[in-house]
Amino acid sequence: MGRLRQIILEIHRRSLWQVLLIYVGGSWACYELIDTISSRFALPEWLPALVVVLFLLGLPFVAATAFVREEASPAVARAEATPPTRVEADVARRAARRRHRFLTARSAGLSFLSALAVWGVVATGWIFLGGGAGAPATGAKSVLPFANLSGDPDNEYFADGITDDVITHLSKVADLKVTSRTSSMRYKDTSQGLREIASQLGVATILEAGVQRVGDRIRVNAQLIDAATDEHLWAEQYDRAIIDIFAIQTDIAQQIVAALEATLTGAEEERIARRPTDNLEAYDLYVQARFLWNRRTSQDLQRAIGLFEEAIALDSSYAYAYVGLADTYSTLYSWNWMSWEAAIPAADSALQRSLELDPALGEAHAARANILEAQRSWVRADSGFVRALELA
């Protein structure tokens, strides 16, 4: 009887390790899958972290389940009451193995399905961490995607480009907190109300605008709205020649700063007012290329390279175009669509030229830090990211 109990306890110990190995391996695979999906489809950035938390919470349940033992059958009871024969011991051992294999599969399966179900709920927008219905809004701001009012889907890239530029301008003001492009673009063409969007993003004010481009004219309707009261803090309509696009973007940023009574330093005002290029055609090509880059498909990225190069050909001093070219090569390498030898030297060369043109361009330092991180040059990458934050 003592020998039989020893055998069963040994199987229990072995099953626990099997459960833990399966659970940890499955957790890692699920995390990698969700992390990839989140980056590809612009899902909330906190999803991978949520998955880690769920798996950690499920670990005690899995470990406890591995020790669960079913009530002994009459055959096992008789085996424990009398010294077991070799045949009886083999039967008991095989039964214990089958029982614990079942428990192992059940534990890992239930935990995996539970985590997947919660992730599905969060991903589809039923709950929002830190920004659910009724969550208090912070002092942050969000720039919703500018609506394309031209009636021409081919102008969609232009509306998105202005959205990106305004977000970039506002982000350069230290006294403002602005949500990222990834967060705001989730609400493109949404039917949700502004209060609901603000609650989900955890912001206090929202910039909503529409862009209409006809020939060489552009009309922009912009309004800054208090999410709590649904009142307009500022509104303006711009109807100008398209060559004034940079002045419009600068004015929108400055008006928002004034409406929110934020502090704008002289250096920040200079950065906001700086024109990235004097060639409007080069800017248009750059915006088209960034639109394709944000799609993250192999074909779109290859097309983006050509457009960035065309923009550079029109304006060889266009620093942002060089950064865009470097970002595209880096993305092609990151997604395994281009070899290291083909992508990284080209990205390095473009970034070097960009920094020669504008050593204070934060976006260029961030792009260089990304490449250094891929090269596992951790210390230099860290310095690059810190420098990028200081400059942008």
Side-chain angles (χ1 to χ4, degrees):
M1 183 173 63
R3 176 61 179 168
L4 178 61
R5 288 180 176 175
Q6 184 178 358
I7 291 172
I8 293 176
L9 288 175
E10 178 63 26
I11 293 173
H12 273 289
R13 287 192 291 270
R14 195 179 308 162
S15 296
L16 173 60
W17 286 112
Q18 290 172 353
V19 170
L20 293 178
L21 286 174
I22 293 174
Y23 186 76
V24 172
S27 301
W28 178 257
C30 187
Y31 171 81
E32 290 293 332
L33 174 64
I34 292 174
D35 187 45
T36 301
I37 292 174
S38 297
S39 60
R40 181 178 288 268
F41 295 103
L43 295 177
E45 298 175 356
W46 39 259
L47 271 182
L50 173 64
V51 173
V52 173
V53 172
L54 291 174
F55 281 127
L56 290 176
L57 292 175
L59 186 59
F61 166 76
V62 171
T65 306
F67 283 109
V68 174
R69 288 205 274 178
E70 296 175 350
E71 185 178 354
S73 65
V76 175
R78 287 195 302 270
E80 292 182 347
T82 60
T85 65
R86 182 181 297 274
V87 173
E88 290 173 333
D90 289 341
V91 171
R93 189 160 50 247
R94 286 194 295 269
R97 285 174 179 170
R98 287 194 299 270
R99 182 166 64 253
H100 284 281
R101 284 171 186 157
F102 168 75
L103 291 174
T104 298
R106 186 182 68 177
S107 302
L110 286 176
S111 300
F112 176 82
L113 291 175
S114 298
L116 195 61
V118 174
W119 173 78
V121 169
V122 176
T124 51
W126 294 348
I127 58 175
F128 289 84
L129 294 182
T138 68
K141 292 82 187 165
S142 179
V143 180
L144 293 186
F146 282 34
N148 175 24
L149 304 179
S150 303
D152 183 359
D154 290 339
N155 281 329
E156 198 71 28
Y157 77 90
F158 193 76
D160 284 2
I162 297 179
T163 305
D164 289 347
D165 289 342
V166 172
I167 290 175
T168 299
H169 283 339
L170 294 175
S171 298
K172 291 178 180 178
V173 181
D175 205 28
L176 296 180
K177 294 180 180 180
V178 185
T179 57
S180 68
R181 179 191 191 280
T182 302
S183 297
S184 64
M185 279 297 174
R186 290 192 290 123
Y187 297 97
K188 187 173 183 177
D189 300 323
T190 183
S191 59
Q192 292 179 276
L194 290 182
R195 285 189 180 182
E196 186 178 359
I197 293 173
S199 178
Q200 293 169 3
L201 289 173
V203 298
T205 53
I206 287 180
L207 175 66
E208 186 180 43
V211 178
Q212 186 175 11
R213 180 182 180 182
V214 180
D216 62 350
R217 303 290 298 179
I218 181 173
R219 175 175 294 174
V220 178
N221 298 308
Q223 50 188 357
L224 187 67
I225 301 172
D226 185 317
T229 62
D230 205 28
E231 294 180 354
H232 287 74
L233 301 176
W234 166 82
E236 187 64 75
Q237 182 180 88
Y238 302 88
D239 191 353
R240 303 182 186 176
I242 198 169
I243 197 171
D244 292 332
I245 182 62
F246 301 124
I248 294 174
Q249 294 170 1
T250 299
D251 191 65
I252 289 175
Q254 291 175 340
Q255 293 292 344
I256 290 174
V257 170
L260 296 176
E261 299 181 350
T263 301
L264 184 65
T265 67
E268 291 169 348
E269 187 172 6
E270 181 183 349
R271 283 200 296 267
I272 290 175
R274 187 180 303 167
R275 296 168 66 94
T277 179
D278 291 324
N279 190 308
L280 190 61
E281 187 178 353
Y283 172 76
D284 193 72
L285 290 167
Y286 170 82
V287 173
Q288 290 182 57
R290 275 297 184 188
F291 182 78
L292 295 173
W293 179 77
N294 281 311
R295 287 183 171 181
R296 298 294 204 281
T297 69
S298 177
Q299 183 179 2
D300 286 329
L301 290 171
Q302 293 290 350
R303 291 172 57 198
I305 288 178
L307 292 173
F308 281 128
E309 290 176 341
E310 288 183 44
I312 291 171
L314 291 172
D315 183 1
S316 59
S317 63
Y318 197 171
Y320 279 98
Y322 287 101
V323 176
L325 188 61
D327 284 340
T328 307
Y329 278 117
S330 298
T331 304
L332 282 167
Y333 167 73
S334 299
W335 290 74
N336 296 318
W337 287 323
M338 186 174 287
S339 68
W340 175 277
E341 293 76 15
I344 301 306
D348 272 330
S349 177
L351 286 175
Q352 182 177 349
R353 178 57 179 154
S354 175
L355 290 170
E356 288 174 357
L357 292 167
D358 188 354
L361 188 59
E363 288 82 354
H365 286 275
R368 171 63 60 81
N370 278 324
I371 294 176
L372 291 171
E373 183 183 27
Q375 295 173 328
R376 299 187 178 182
S377 181
W378 312 118
V379 175
R380 294 175 62 197
D382 180 73
S383 298
F385 284 127
V386 171
R387 183 59 176 156
L389 289 171
E390 292 172 351
L391 295 171

